[in-house]
């Protein structure tokens, strides 16, 4: 499920870079901070790789990335 979060955060960061909202090197910081927020906290994400869980983690990754980017701009 970390792959779903990673890919979602990467896509959001890339869109922000293309829109000139963040710099190129900031994309990695956004992805890293999203992974830390989702997997480094006290709330453990689901571990079963079902389609429902993958889509849920994708949505969480996108929301976290958008939040991080809004904080940066």
């Amino acid at each position: 499920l970390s792959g779903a979060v990673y890919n979602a955060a990467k896509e959001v960061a890339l869109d922000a870079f293309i829109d000139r909202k963040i710099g190129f090197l900031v994309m990695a910081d956004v992805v890293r901070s999203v992974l830390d927020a989702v997997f480094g906290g006290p709330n453990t994400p689901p571990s079963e790789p079902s389609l429902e869980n993958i889509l849920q983690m994708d949505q969480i990754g996108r929301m976290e990335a958008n939040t991080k980017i809004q904080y940066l701009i």
Side-chain angles (χ1 to χ4, degrees):
L1 295 176
S2 61
V5 175
Y6 173 86
N7 191 57
K10 178 185 62 80
E11 288 179 4
V12 171
L14 179 60
D15 287 344
F17 170 71
I18 290 170
D19 292 341
R20 299 177 186 243
K21 293 179 181 176
I22 62 173
F24 180 77
L25 297 177
V26 176
M27 289 191 296
D29 294 334
V30 169
V31 173
R32 183 181 314 112
S33 66
V34 168
L35 289 171
D36 288 345
V38 173
F39 295 103
N43 297 328
T44 306
S47 59
E48 182 182 333
S50 67
L51 179 59
E52 181 180 321
N53 288 342
I54 291 169
L55 294 174
Q56 177 186 16
M57 296 308 291
D58 179 84
Q59 182 180 19
I60 289 169
R62 290 177 192 281
M63 288 188 311
E64 284 288 333
N66 280 314
T67 300
K68 304 291 182 191
I69 291 167
Q70 288 302 315
Y71 176 75
L72 293 172
I73 57 174

